[in-house]
Amino acid sequence: MMIQDTLSYSYMAIKTQPIRVMLIILAMSIGIASVTILTALGESARLYIVNEFQSLGTNLIIVLPGRTETTGGQPPLFGATPRDLTLADAEALYRSHHIAAIAPVSVGAAPISTKGLEREVTILGSTSALRRVRHLSLSKGHFLPESDANKALSICVIGQTIKDELFAQQQAVGKWLRINDRRFRVIGVLESEGQSIGVDFDDMVIVPVASAQALFNTQSLFRILVETKSKQGMYKAVDDISEIIKQRHEGEDDVTLVTQDSVVNTFDEILAAVTLTVASIASISLAVAGILVMNVMWVSVAQRTAEIGLLKALGATKGQILCLFLTEAAMLSFAGALTGVLLGKITLMALQISYPDFPFYLPVWAIFSALAVSLVTALIFGVLPAKQAAGMNPVTALNKR
Amino acid sequence: MIELENIHRTFQVGEQSVHALNNINLTINKGEYVSIMGPSGSGKSTLLNVIALLDQPSSGIYSLNNQIVTQLDDNQLAQVRRENIGFVFQFFHLIARYSAAENIEIPMILAGVPIQERKQRVADALLAVDLQQRATHRPDQLSGGQIQRVAIARAMIMQPQILLADEPTGNLDSKSGEGIIELLENLNQKQTTLVMITHDEALGSRAQRIIRLIDGKIV
Ligand SMILES: Nc1ncnc2c1ncn2[C@@H]1O[C@H](COP(=O)(O)OP(=O)(O)OP(=O)(O)O)[C@@H](O)[C@H]1O
Ligand SMILES: [Mg+2]
């Protein structure tokens, strides 16, 4: 028996049972749709976060003051307030050959005002290297100039939101801005970043790091962002940084180094696990659909008993009968699965329209595995009815009407 | 070509066993025209089913074309059935969702005959039973006599040497029944071995040989 004949026989048999077919397709498509949608949501969330982290900058190492690891032993009597990170620490890091750029960061909040408009914003002090390390782009003007980090210049770069709120339609570059009691000249406006994880550069004023330290009257840094020359150099750079800081902090390794890699990998793994779990839960609905397939196949076999007897009388083998009924079950499931994938796609498209900023993405492997799962379900649940059909005695089957 | 030796067939119905065929010895030669007659329940259908390889005897030896077919497995049985035996039923047994042409095509589909050849042979078969105008009609659009003609075309499509018919006119009026018998006898003229069960004495006596069964025995 040829494949196209098997398919055509099964198709003809299915066609005579439209209502039952609709039911199976409905059940199967709901199962498949929920699996695909949930997988897509999980995958999209994973990709979104991984992307966001990658856009924070490549080959990035974040140096944080303080050690997050517990060292064990007796807790020190007077508390172990770690030594602060200073600008001098940051500059010292240039001794490592693996480091391409260093952006010291100092953060605080302060009121800013211009022409009577005033609001409280985050002030970020850094150097020209920040632009490179965090991949910032400007819509107007210039970023902080390359100059001595210790020089407290009265210039600032503002985010898009602040520009809109304080200057509206006017030209911002060249205007003066008051931060606390000091006047700063706006030299640039950042390009809007849109959705972003972590720091919202749109709602921020960037000033030279020394100016920020003066504003907040502190010598310490919030953190130091380091870009390494290459991905391979990352681990050597981490070692170098530890070593340099240790030397400068009297033998105390009192900083925490976070590589972007490790953060991304952690999120990647967590979200992949979440996706898998959610998809597995959704696949329970597939099992339900499978049971429905089995039920419909039992009815199909019972109704077509005489026909099975006839096929045997006309020379069909057990294997052929088995194949015919399995094909029927597989076709039903497959139709359901295709509908389900389509349903899932439509739902995702609707979601995409509702949330244009979030990139919904249905991985191709999810589509194929949905189809494969539905086929396997059909075969598992279809095999018992099909076996019953194949094992029928032709005479008894023929006499049943 | 058909040789039955000491064939028994018993059915177990609860505690009771029914001896449907009781020591049947029978030889039917190629091209013969044999009718099987006997009262209801005498084992006629059981005998024909055994000959058709649809049913297995409880004991005895059946050889077909000098090949013992009592010990064959399912696949071999299906093949022998497909290649050697055509069967016409009292209740026609056409598949309702298929047209006349498609019903005739089924044995060739099961045998894996290529589609081009199938179409040609179906057309010839329809012509042979004088139904070329009815190729696309489904069974519910055909009369009883036409349905049985389709069934005969289907039984003959694999060009078997043996044609078995279990009361082929049992559900037809006498006029269409007459047409069916003529068709079967025509096939017999062309060297097809014809074995037919009938209740009708007049029909039965048209055969070269009448086998009478009573209580599972040939008398
Ligand atoms: N599957 C079966 N199970 C039990 N008994 C059976 C079975 N098939 C046939 N019999 C019995 O075997 C005997 C012969 O049956 P069979 O159908 O061969 O008779 P028949 O001569 O064809 O009768 P009819 O003229 O009514 O068709 C009957 O007594 C019947 O009850
Ligand atoms: Mg009978």
Side-chain angles (χ1 to χ4, degrees):
Chain A
M1 193 159 180
M2 289 178 282
I3 293 170
Q4 63 264 41
D5 292 321
T6 310
L7 292 177
S8 128
Y9 172 89
S10 300
Y11 174 70
M12 291 287 282
I14 287 169
K15 241 176 55 176
T16 56
Q17 306 285 350
I19 294 184
R20 236 177 273 152
V21 171
M22 290 319 280
L23 259 175
I24 283 205
I25 290 183
L26 192 70
M28 191 55 94
S29 63
I30 288 172
I32 292 287
S34 49
V35 172
T36 43
I37 291 169
L38 288 170
T39 311
L41 288 181
E43 262 301 285
S44 308
R46 188 180 71 79
L47 283 178
Y48 175 70
I49 287 180
V50 168
N51 260 330
E52 281 299 322
F53 271 103
Q54 259 148 13
S55 72
L56 292 187
T58 35
N59 307 337
L60 191 66
I61 300 173
I62 303 167
V63 185
L64 303 167
R67 193 115 196 107
T68 49
E69 273 173 18
T70 45
T71 43
Q74 286 291 318
L77 212 53
F78 298 102
T81 323
R83 246 161 296 249
D84 288 335
L85 278 175
T86 60
L87 268 180
D89 286 335
E91 247 146 55
L93 297 183
Y94 273 117
R95 295 214 303 259
S96 166
H97 299 301
H98 303 287
I99 288 175
I102 296 170
V105 175
S106 156
V107 173
I112 59 168
S113 61
T114 177
K115 289 188 199 134
L117 295 169
E118 178 176 312
R119 60 168 296 202
E120 180 100 359
V121 298
T122 306
I123 310 292
L124 191 142
S126 193
T127 61
S128 61
L130 181 70
R131 181 176 183 189
R132 166 176 179 174
V133 173
R134 283 300 309 264
H135 300 176
L136 298 173
S137 40
L138 290 152
S139 67
K140 287 266 159 56
H142 305 281
F143 198 68
L144 301 177
E146 280 186 42
S147 63
D148 183 2
N150 290 304
K151 252 175 142 174
L153 298 171
S154 290
I155 50 173
C156 67
V157 175
I158 61 176
Q160 195 64 47
T161 312
I162 292 179
K163 190 255 161 195
D164 291 343
E165 285 179 9
L166 294 186
F167 299 101
Q169 303 302 323
Q170 300 168 37
Q171 172 76 266
V173 176
K175 296 272 164 55
W176 289 90
L177 196 69
R178 193 171 278 282
I179 305 178
N180 265 350
D181 290 326
R182 293 161 197 252
R183 298 205 319 149
F184 287 80
R185 186 195 280 279
V186 178
I187 58 162
V189 179
L190 290 176
E191 200 152 79
S192 179
E193 288 212 309
Q195 218 81 357
S196 164
I197 268 184
V199 201
D200 183 4
F201 280 97
D202 288 356
D203 200 11
M204 195 172 279
V205 174
I206 300 170
V207 299
V209 63
S211 311
Q213 287 181 324
L215 274 172
F216 303 121
N217 192 22
T218 172
Q219 288 304 303
S220 67
L221 292 175
F222 176 58
R223 56 184 54 170
I224 303 172
L225 305 179
V226 176
E227 188 182 318
T228 58
K229 282 179 180 155
S230 66
K231 213 170 175 65
Q232 296 77 20
M234 197 97 146
Y235 298 98
K236 292 204 185 93
V238 166
D239 291 342
D240 287 354
I241 293 169
S242 298
E243 194 53 43
I244 294 166
I245 298 288
K246 211 167 173 176
Q247 277 173 22
R248 299 181 51 84
H249 289 190
E250 284 117 37
E252 287 276 1
D253 186 9
D254 59 356
V255 288
T256 302
L257 302 182
V258 179
T259 56
Q260 187 206 359
D261 247 25
S262 63
V263 177
V264 171
N265 284 345
T266 310
F267 269 99
D268 205 12
E269 278 164 27
I270 292 174
L271 283 163
V274 168
T275 305
L276 208 67
T277 314
V278 167
S280 321
I281 293 171
S283 56
I284 291 173
S285 56
L286 277 181
V288 175
I291 291 167
L292 204 69
V293 168
M294 176 147 76
N295 192 44
V296 166
M297 289 314 293
W298 282 124
V299 176
S300 202
V301 169
Q303 274 192 344
R304 300 223 302 276
T305 302
E307 182 178 317
I308 295 163
L310 171 75
L311 291 179
K312 290 198 150 195
L314 296 180
T317 62
K318 273 187 186 170
Q320 285 177 327
I321 305 275
L322 193 77
C323 181
L324 286 176
F325 279 87
L326 281 182
T327 307
E328 196 172 321
M331 267 185 157
L332 282 172
S333 302
F334 204 71
L338 278 182
T339 318
V341 168
L342 214 70
L343 221 74
K345 276 235 165 210
I346 291 171
T347 312
L348 287 173
M349 265 155 72
L351 281 172
Q352 185 71 82
I353 291 165
S354 320
Y355 302 96
D357 285 340
F358 188 76
F360 288 95
Y361 160 73
L362 179 56
V364 178
W365 64 260
I367 297 176
F368 281 107
S369 59
L371 295 181
V373 163
S374 79
L375 278 185
V376 171
T377 314
L379 296 186
I380 289 174
F381 287 92
V383 84
L384 278 179
K387 271 202 153 154
Q388 199 216 13
M392 276 180 184
N393 175 310
V395 178
T396 338
L398 266 171
N399 289 336
K400 206 191 146 208
R401 275 178 303 139
Chain B
M1 66 180 337
I2 297 171
E3 283 169 277
L4 299 176
E5 246 178 87
N6 307 322
I7 293 284
H8 290 263
R9 179 66 168 106
T10 50
F11 292 105
Q12 203 67 38
V13 184
E15 293 282 281
Q16 223 182 337
S17 78
V18 181
H19 216 147
L21 293 180
N22 191 349
N23 201 32
I24 300 288
N25 287 287
L26 175 66
T27 303
I28 298 171
N29 295 315
K30 185 165 166 46
E32 251 193 292
Y33 177 9
V34 178
S35 67
I36 301 176
M37 302 198 66
S40 185
S42 56
K44 304 183 294 292
S45 294
T46 308
L47 176 59
L48 207 66
N49 289 336
V50 166
I51 294 173
L53 294 170
L54 292 175
D55 197 6
Q56 293 286 302
S58 309
S59 68
I61 294 170
Y62 171 16
S63 57
L64 182 67
N65 295 327
N66 301 320
Q67 183 195 9
I68 295 178
V69 289
T70 6
Q71 302 300 330
L72 298 182
D73 70 21
D74 179 75
N75 283 342
Q76 293 167 319
L77 279 178
Q79 193 191 349
V80 174
R81 216 182 283 151
R82 199 159 58 210
E83 289 170 359
N84 298 287
I85 295 160
F87 207 112
V88 178
F89 309 90
Q90 179 180 355
F91 297 104
F92 320 128
H93 287 305
L94 293 198
I95 296 180
R97 59 179 180 277
Y98 284 147
S99 70
E102 287 163 340
N103 268 286
I104 296 171
E105 200 180 349
I106 295 171
M108 293 191 289
I109 291 177
L110 293 172
V113 175
I115 191 148
Q116 282 306 320
E117 186 183 342
R118 284 194 329 235
K119 296 293 169 220
Q120 186 53 50
R121 274 163 71 176
V122 166
D124 294 346
L126 279 165
L127 189 70
V129 296
D130 197 23
L131 282 176
Q132 61 273 48
Q133 305 303 321
R134 296 280 184 267
T136 59
H137 290 213
R138 271 183 284 114
D140 56 5
Q141 298 162 322
L142 297 170
S143 73
Q146 288 170 331
I147 290 175
Q148 196 62 303
R149 295 223 294 273
V150 173
I152 292 169
R154 180 181 65 190
M156 293 307 296
I157 198 73
M158 293 299 291
Q159 294 154 338
Q161 302 160 326
I162 303 164
L163 182 57
L164 308 174
D166 191 346
E167 298 187 50
T169 59
N171 272 312
L172 299 175
D173 60 83
S174 57
K175 190 166 164 284
S176 24
E178 180 63 30
I180 293 301
I181 296 299
E182 273 169 21
L183 188 55
L184 293 174
E185 286 175 351
N186 256 329
L187 290 166
N188 175 245
Q189 308 271 299
K190 294 172 195 150
Q191 292 309 301
T192 307
T193 311
L194 177 61
V195 183
M196 179 172 71
I197 296 176
T198 179
H199 271 119
D200 188 329
E201 276 296 339
L203 277 185
S205 55
R206 290 166 70 149
Q208 297 159 0
R209 179 148 65 115
I210 302 178
I211 294 165
R212 291 189 190 274
L213 278 180
I214 293 176
D215 285 340
K217 285 186 178 147
I218 296 179
V219 293

